[in-house]
Coordinates of all heavy atoms in Angstrom, one line a residue:
Y50 N -8.9 29.6 -10.6 CA -7.6 29.9 -10.0 C -7.7 30.9 -8.9 O -7.1 30.8 -7.9 CB -6.7 30.4 -11.1 CG -5.4 30.9 -10.5 CD1 -4.4 29.9 -10.1 CD2 -5.1 32.2 -10.3 CE1 -3.2 30.3 -9.6 CE2 -3.9 32.6 -9.7 CZ -2.9 31.6 -9.4 OH -1.7 32.0 -8.8
E88 N -13.6 6.4 -1.9 CA -13.1 5.8 -3.1 C -12.9 4.3 -2.8 O -12.5 3.9 -1.7 CB -11.7 6.4 -3.4 CG -11.1 5.8 -4.7 CD -9.7 6.4 -5.0 OE1 -9.7 7.6 -5.3 OE2 -8.7 5.7 -4.9
D105 N -13.0 -19.2 4.9 CA -12.1 -20.2 4.5 C -10.9 -20.3 5.4 O -10.2 -21.4 5.5 CB -11.6 -20.0 3.0 CG -12.7 -20.4 2.0 OD1 -13.6 -21.2 2.4 OD2 -12.6 -19.9 0.9
H124 N -20.5 -26.8 4.2 CA -19.5 -26.9 3.1 C -19.7 -28.1 2.2 O -20.5 -29.0 2.5 CB -18.1 -26.9 3.8 CG -17.8 -25.6 4.5 ND1 -17.4 -24.5 3.8 CD2 -17.9 -25.3 5.8 CE1 -17.3 -23.5 4.7 NE2 -17.6 -23.9 5.9
E139 N -7.0 -36.9 -9.5 CA -8.1 -36.1 -9.8 C -8.6 -35.3 -8.6 O -8.9 -34.1 -8.6 CB -9.2 -36.9 -10.4 CG -9.0 -37.5 -11.8 CD -8.9 -36.4 -12.9 OE1 -9.3 -35.3 -12.6 OE2 -8.5 -36.7 -14.0
I143 N -8.6 -31.2 -8.0 CA -9.7 -30.3 -7.5 C -9.3 -29.5 -6.3 O -9.6 -28.3 -6.2 CB -10.9 -31.2 -7.2 CG1 -11.4 -31.9 -8.5 CG2 -12.0 -30.4 -6.5 CD1 -12.4 -32.9 -8.2
E161 N -6.4 -4.5 -5.1 CA -7.6 -3.7 -5.3 C -8.5 -3.8 -4.1 O -9.6 -3.1 -4.2 CB -8.3 -4.2 -6.6 CG -7.5 -4.0 -7.9 CD -7.4 -2.5 -8.2 OE1 -8.1 -1.7 -7.6 OE2 -6.7 -2.2 -9.2
F189 N -5.8 27.5 7.8 CA -5.9 26.3 8.7 C -6.6 25.2 7.9 O -7.4 25.4 7.0 CB -6.6 26.6 10.0 CG -8.1 26.8 9.8 CD1 -9.0 25.7 9.9 CD2 -8.6 28.0 9.5 CE1 -10.3 25.9 9.8 CE2 -10.0 28.2 9.4 CZ -10.9 27.1 9.5
Q210 N 3.0 -33.4 -0.9 CA 2.6 -33.4 0.5 C 1.1 -33.7 0.6 O 0.7 -34.5 1.4 CB 3.0 -32.2 1.3 CG 2.6 -32.2 2.8 CD 3.1 -31.0 3.5 OE1 4.1 -30.4 3.1 NE2 2.4 -30.7 4.6
Q214 N -1.0 -36.9 2.3 CA -2.0 -36.8 3.3 C -3.3 -37.4 2.9 O -4.1 -38.0 3.7 CB -2.2 -35.3 3.7 CG -1.0 -34.7 4.5 CD -1.0 -35.2 5.9 OE1 -1.9 -35.0 6.7 NE2 0.1 -35.9 6.2
N241 N -14.3 -35.6 7.8 CA -15.2 -36.2 8.8 C -15.5 -37.6 8.3 O -16.3 -37.8 7.4 CB -16.5 -35.5 9.0 CG -17.3 -36.0 10.1 OD1 -17.1 -37.1 10.6 ND2 -18.3 -35.2 10.5
K274 N 5.5 40.8 -4.4 CA 6.1 41.0 -5.8 C 7.6 41.2 -5.7 O 8.1 42.1 -5.0 CB 5.4 42.2 -6.5 CG 5.9 42.4 -7.9 CD 5.4 43.7 -8.5 CE 3.9 43.7 -8.7 NZ 3.4 44.9 -9.4
T277 N 9.1 43.9 -11.4 CA 8.1 44.3 -12.5 C 8.9 44.5 -13.8 O 10.0 45.1 -13.8 CB 7.4 45.6 -12.1 OG1 6.7 45.4 -10.9 CG2 6.4 46.0 -13.2
I306 N -12.0 -12.3 11.0 CA -13.0 -11.4 10.5 C -14.3 -12.1 10.4 O -14.5 -13.2 9.8 CB -12.6 -10.8 9.1 CG1 -11.3 -10.0 9.2 CG2 -13.7 -10.0 8.5 CD1 -10.8 -9.6 7.8
S367 N 7.9 -13.3 7.1 CA 8.8 -12.2 6.8 C 8.2 -11.2 5.8 O 8.4 -10.0 5.9 CB 10.2 -12.6 6.3 OG 10.1 -13.4 5.1
S408 N 5.5 12.0 -8.0 CA 4.5 11.3 -7.2 C 4.9 11.1 -5.8 O 6.1 11.0 -5.5 CB 4.2 9.9 -7.8 OG 5.4 9.1 -7.7
M413 N -2.4 7.7 4.0 CA -2.7 6.3 3.9 C -1.7 5.5 3.1 O -1.9 4.3 2.8 CB -4.1 6.0 3.4 CG -5.2 6.7 4.2 SD -5.4 5.9 5.9 CE -4.5 7.1 6.9
Q418 N -0.3 11.4 -8.0 CA 0.4 12.5 -8.8 C -0.7 13.0 -9.7 O -1.0 12.5 -10.7 CB 1.5 11.9 -9.6 CG 2.3 13.0 -10.4 CD 3.4 12.4 -11.3 OE1 3.6 11.1 -11.4 NE2 4.2 13.2 -11.9
P434 N -24.5 33.4 -11.9 CA -23.5 32.4 -11.4 C -22.3 32.3 -12.2 O -22.3 32.4 -13.4 CB -24.3 31.0 -11.4 CG -25.8 31.4 -11.6 CD -25.8 32.7 -12.3
K442 N -6.8 13.7 -13.1 CA -6.4 12.3 -13.2 C -5.2 12.1 -12.4 O -4.2 12.8 -12.3 CB -6.0 12.1 -14.7 CG -5.5 10.6 -14.9 CD -5.3 10.3 -16.4 CE -4.9 8.9 -16.6 NZ -5.8 7.9 -16.0
N453 N -14.8 17.1 -12.8 CA -15.1 18.1 -11.8 C -16.0 19.2 -12.4 O -15.8 19.6 -13.5 CB -13.7 18.8 -11.4 CG -12.6 17.8 -11.2 OD1 -12.8 16.8 -10.5 ND2 -11.5 18.1 -11.7
G489 N -18.3 25.7 0.0 CA -17.5 26.8 0.7 C -18.2 28.1 0.5 O -19.1 28.3 -0.3

Side-chain angles (χ1 to χ4, degrees):
Y50 178 75
E88 184 180 294
D105 283 340
H124 295 281
E139 291 289 350
I143 294 170
E161 294 290 351
F189 73 90
Q210 179 177 336
Q214 288 289 299
N241 188 346
K274 182 189 291 187
T277 298
I306 296 174
S367 59
S408 67
M413 297 294 102
Q418 182 181 8
K442 181 173 179 59
N453 315 314

